[in-house]
Amino acid sequence: VVLHFADRLVAACRAKGNSLCVGLDPRWAMLPQEVRRRHAGQGLEGLAAACEEFCLRVLELVAPLVPAVKVQMACFEAGGPAGLAAMQHVLRAARQQGLITILDGKKNDIASTAQSYAEAVFGGTLLEGARWPVWEADALTVNPYLGADALEPFITQARSCGGGVFLLVRTSNPGSRQFQDLCCGGRPLYLHVAEAAAGWARQHLGRCGLGDVGAVVGVTQAAELAVVRQQFPELWLLLPGYGAQGGGAAAAAAGFRPDGLGALVNSSRGIIAGFAPEETQWEECIRAATRQTLAELLQQTPMRRLAAAS
Amino acid sequence: VVLHFADRLVAACRAKGNSLCVGLDPRWAMLPQEVRRRHAGQGLEGLAAACEEFCLRVLELVAPLVPAVKVQMACFEAGGPAGLAAMQHVLRAARQQGLITILDGKKNDIASTAQSYAEAVFGGTLLEGARWPVWEADALTVNPYLGADALEPFITQARSCGGGVFLLVRTSNPGSRQFQDLCCGGRPLYLHVAEAAAGWARQHLGRCGLGDVGAVVGVTQAAELAVVRQQFPELWLLLPGYGAQGGGAAAAAAGFRPDGLGALVNSSRGIIAGFAPEETQWEECIRAATRQTLAELLQQTPMRRLAAAS
């Protein structure tokens, strides 16, 4: 029996009493000097090893506190094949610690190629009749521009493994309005995309009433976030942009359903880069930033209902 | 002095007398049995080695005939870190044979992350004050959904290296119309994207009058291709979908400027997968398919002007 992604995510949130997602976006310049020192002068292999060491330590710090992590593929791709091997190790360690893993790859391509990406993320590459695991994440971010036939391989493959897909709907960057807000047939493009996501979600709802296709809506986009939440109650929303990008708890509140479900709030730099490189107590800084972010969210959003239930 | 991408591409096309791009989308099931046999039973490492061996052989066959290759990242990502190391070797070999290399990664993310992807593709990852090469392609396909601020890091980084960016405008898949054709302010979304691409292209035209930001328009989308070509003469157009996806030479003709420049016609499966796996003369099949495709294009499109000039 394959458990439904939405139910797995709800269970993880209830178990931790919150729906904070920690973003793993390791970059050389922000890593603690202590970590960098051990891997300096070794080029991309050193970058890969430093990112892996740092992220494994972050996982140990945050796994007792939060339900999920989002792994930024670009930061590992910066290290080439060695960096992507480090990403495999980080994803595996997160899974072993019971975290829900979201691979932030913003993938997109025509159907036959989307199938390759999807197999690599979810069930594994099919080779001589057997599946070979590649990234093994629980969920993937996907760019919707190509349309339904190019998105369905991601959804079908995720669904077959109890995985999920988060479609980019309204992204957290300042320029997201350029195309995403263009008004077509009386409503902005991003609502057309959200409608499509909700259609797929309704095809296959979990017991919790949420689907395994969700939407990425920047917490920096407060008004649009409220609209998506109100119109599409069946969507899990992944909310990037908390903290370093300017989104706050008051804005995040609009992403939740009244029952406290449906919003996974992601903070990356605000948690893993909130200290100077020379800080020796960086692990304590990460733990404190996580606790501080949780306190803000539990105080100012319906997320507190998860804590009450746990 | 950094040569302009558009001029480099024109020079490569004139040198070969055509603007055909061979797509390298290797998949286990389509590889010649002879190649598979040497790498069977070795999981993802075997897949990676087989893809590399096959692509290196294809490069030797097509490098004397065509100016460019397009490397489909998903096919290499299917092999995990080993697959991506194989992709590095294929890109390097293509460059060494004088081919223009297009990495088909359809990348997109917010600016700080786009910067990481762009450095990996073009100038190399910046680490302790030095650049470490990662993929080293001449051009990259980029998905426009996030908007200008998220696209500019790709363009700036490409430009600094004499590289190019192809923005997805109207993709070759049947469902591309779902979002790309939505009418906003009197014209479809894909023309808004093409207009943005042309704006960047005009900022930095090569001597040939074409820019280093181009557009992907499926040769399967004949009417839309003609519109983009007519409205935006400064865009290099990358035309996927030739052959296996159903696009033909008559449709491709609409992608060219009258001077025979501006359209790079990509054929992947039609050239590298046009034979049964048990075929022992597969190299001759690839050479013949390349020649046949060239004959069609030179006969039916303004590409013939490149041949006349060379």
Side-chain angles (χ1 to χ4, degrees), chain A residues 218-227 251 254:
Chain A
V219 71
T220 50
Q221 316 292 321
E224 293 81 359
L225 174 56
V227 171

Side-chain angles (χ1 to χ4, degrees), chain B:
Chain B
V1 170
V2 176
L3 291 178
H4 190 285
F5 174 74
D7 292 331
R8 292 205 294 131
L9 188 50
V10 167
C13 292
R14 289 204 196 284
K16 300 292 169 57
N18 68 81
S19 57
L20 175 60
C21 178
V22 171
L24 300 176
D25 301 33
R27 295 159 200 277
W28 181 263
M30 53 138 280
L31 295 178
Q33 271 181 4
E34 175 211 328
V35 174
R36 278 196 261 169
R37 199 173 298 128
R38 277 193 286 281
H39 305 284
Q42 296 165 51
L44 300 182
E45 279 70 21
L47 172 63
C51 289
E52 179 172 335
E53 179 183 326
F54 176 71
C55 290
L56 293 181
R57 193 67 198 108
V58 173
L59 289 176
E60 287 177 23
L61 295 167
V62 304
L65 302 174
V66 304
V69 290
K70 178 170 82 63
V71 171
Q72 174 48 260
M73 193 159 186
C75 296
F76 294 90
E77 212 171 292
L84 291 156
M87 187 177 86
Q88 280 183 317
H89 305 155
V90 170
L91 283 165
R92 187 172 307 145
R95 208 165 51 247
Q96 285 170 349
Q97 290 172 71
L99 290 158
I100 299 284
T101 57
I102 301 170
L103 181 58
D104 193 1
K106 299 185 171 64
K107 298 298 189 186
N108 65 107
D109 214 305
I110 64 168
S112 54
T113 307
Q115 181 72 23
S116 290
Y117 279 128
E119 291 181 0
V121 173
F122 298 108
T125 294
L126 186 61
L127 203 58
E128 305 172 273
R131 292 271 176 199
W132 296 80
V134 183
W135 310 129
E136 298 183 274
D138 293 304
L140 174 70
T141 58
V142 170
N143 184 309
Y145 189 70
L146 272 69
D149 65 325
L151 300 175
E152 276 160 4
F154 290 109
I155 296 165
T156 304
Q157 177 65 214
R159 204 160 270 178
S160 73
C161 302
V165 165
F166 290 96
L167 285 187
L168 305 186
V169 165
R170 190 63 152 75
T171 54
S172 62
N173 57 309
S176 60
R177 64 185 63 247
Q178 183 179 13
F179 300 124
Q180 297 165 26
D181 260 9
L182 285 175
C183 188
C184 333
R187 55 184 185 163
L189 174 60
Y190 79 87
L191 286 180
H192 289 263
V193 176
E195 171 68 45
W200 280 304
R202 283 181 213 121
Q203 282 177 355
H204 187 235
L205 293 173
R207 289 186 190 186
C208 59
L210 293 151
D212 52 6
V213 176
V216 175
V217 183
V219 70
T220 49
Q221 317 291 320
E224 294 81 359
L225 174 57
V227 171
V228 173
R229 177 72 294 157
Q230 199 212 325
Q231 294 192 15
F232 305 106
E234 58 281 271
L235 292 178
W236 257 114
L237 303 183
L238 173 61
L239 312 184
Y242 193 87
Q245 288 184 55
F256 288 82
R257 303 198 313 185
D259 63 1
L261 290 176
L264 194 60
V265 183
N266 185 79
S267 178
S268 299
R269 284 170 280 172
I271 287 178
I272 68 164
F275 50 85
E278 59 274 19
E279 172 64 57
T280 56
Q281 305 296 307
W282 58 270
E283 294 174 300
E284 195 39 54
C285 294
I286 289 173
R287 216 189 318 246
T290 308
R291 291 209 173 109
Q292 171 63 30
T293 305
L294 283 173
E296 291 163 15
L297 289 167
L298 292 171
Q299 189 170 28
Q300 298 180 52
T301 79
M303 189 190 282
R304 78 180 72 88
R305 305 214 168 187
L306 295 169
S310 73

Side-chain angles (χ1 to χ4, degrees), chain A residues 140-172:
Chain A
L140 175 70
T141 58
V142 170
N143 184 309
Y145 188 70
L146 272 68
D149 65 325
L151 301 174
E152 276 160 5
F154 290 108
I155 295 164
T156 303
Q157 177 64 212
R159 203 160 269 178
S160 72
C161 302
V165 164
F166 290 96
L167 285 188
L168 304 187
V169 164
R170 189 61 154 79
T171 55
S172 62

Side-chain angles (χ1 to χ4, degrees), chain A:
Chain A
V1 172
V2 177
L3 291 176
H4 189 286
F5 174 73
D7 292 331
R8 293 204 295 132
L9 187 51
V10 168
C13 292
R14 289 205 196 285
K16 300 293 168 57
N18 69 79
S19 55
L20 176 59
C21 178
V22 172
L24 301 176
D25 301 33
R27 293 159 201 277
W28 181 262
M30 52 136 283
L31 294 178
Q33 271 182 3
E34 175 210 330
V35 174
R36 277 195 264 169
R37 200 173 298 127
R38 276 194 286 282
H39 305 283
Q42 296 164 52
L44 300 181
E45 278 70 22
L47 171 64
C51 288
E52 179 172 337
E53 180 183 324
F54 176 72
C55 289
L56 294 180
R57 194 68 198 108
V58 173
L59 288 177
E60 287 176 21
L61 295 165
V62 305
L65 302 173
V66 304
V69 289
K70 178 171 82 63
V71 172
Q72 175 48 259
M73 193 158 186
C75 296
F76 293 90
E77 212 171 292
L84 290 156
M87 187 178 86
Q88 280 183 316
H89 305 154
V90 170
L91 283 165
R92 188 173 306 146
R95 207 165 53 244
Q96 285 169 349
Q97 290 173 70
L99 290 159
I100 299 283
T101 56
I102 301 170
L103 182 56
D104 195 359
K106 299 186 171 66
K107 298 298 190 187
N108 65 105
D109 214 305
I110 64 168
S112 54
T113 307
Q115 181 72 23
S116 290
Y117 279 128
E119 291 182 1
V121 174
F122 298 109
T125 294
L126 186 61
L127 204 57
E128 303 172 275
R131 292 271 176 201
W132 296 82
V134 183
W135 310 127
E136 297 183 275
D138 293 304
L140 175 70
T141 58
V142 170
N143 184 309
Y145 188 70
L146 272 68
D149 65 325
L151 301 174
E152 276 160 5
F154 290 108
I155 295 164
T156 303
Q157 177 64 212
R159 203 160 269 178
S160 72
C161 302
V165 164
F166 290 96
L167 285 188
L168 304 187
V169 164
R170 189 61 154 79
T171 55
S172 62
N173 56 310
S176 60
R177 65 186 61 248
Q178 183 179 12
F179 300 123
Q180 297 165 28
D181 261 9
L182 285 176
C183 189
C184 334
R187 55 185 186 161
L189 174 60
Y190 78 88
L191 286 180
H192 289 263
V193 176
E195 172 67 46
W200 280 303
R202 283 181 214 120
Q203 281 176 355
H204 188 233
L205 294 172
R207 289 186 189 186
C208 60
L210 293 152
D212 52 7
V213 176
V216 176
V217 184
V219 71
T220 50
Q221 316 292 321
E224 293 81 359
L225 174 56
V227 171
V228 173
R229 175 72 295 158
Q230 200 213 322
Q231 294 192 17
F232 305 107
E234 59 281 272
L235 291 177
W236 258 113
L237 303 182
L238 173 61
L239 313 184
Y242 193 87
Q245 287 184 56
F256 288 82
R257 302 199 313 187
D259 64 1
L261 290 177
L264 195 59
V265 183
N266 185 79
S267 178
S268 298
R269 284 169 280 174
I271 287 178
I272 68 164
F275 50 84
E278 58 275 18
E279 173 65 56
T280 56
Q281 306 296 305
W282 60 270
E283 294 173 299
E284 195 39 55
C285 295
I286 288 173
R287 218 187 320 248
T290 309
R291 291 208 173 106
Q292 172 64 30
T293 305
L294 282 173
E296 293 163 12
L297 289 167
L298 292 170
Q299 190 171 29
Q300 298 179 54
T301 78
M303 189 190 282
R304 77 181 71 87
R305 306 212 166 185
L306 295 169
S310 71

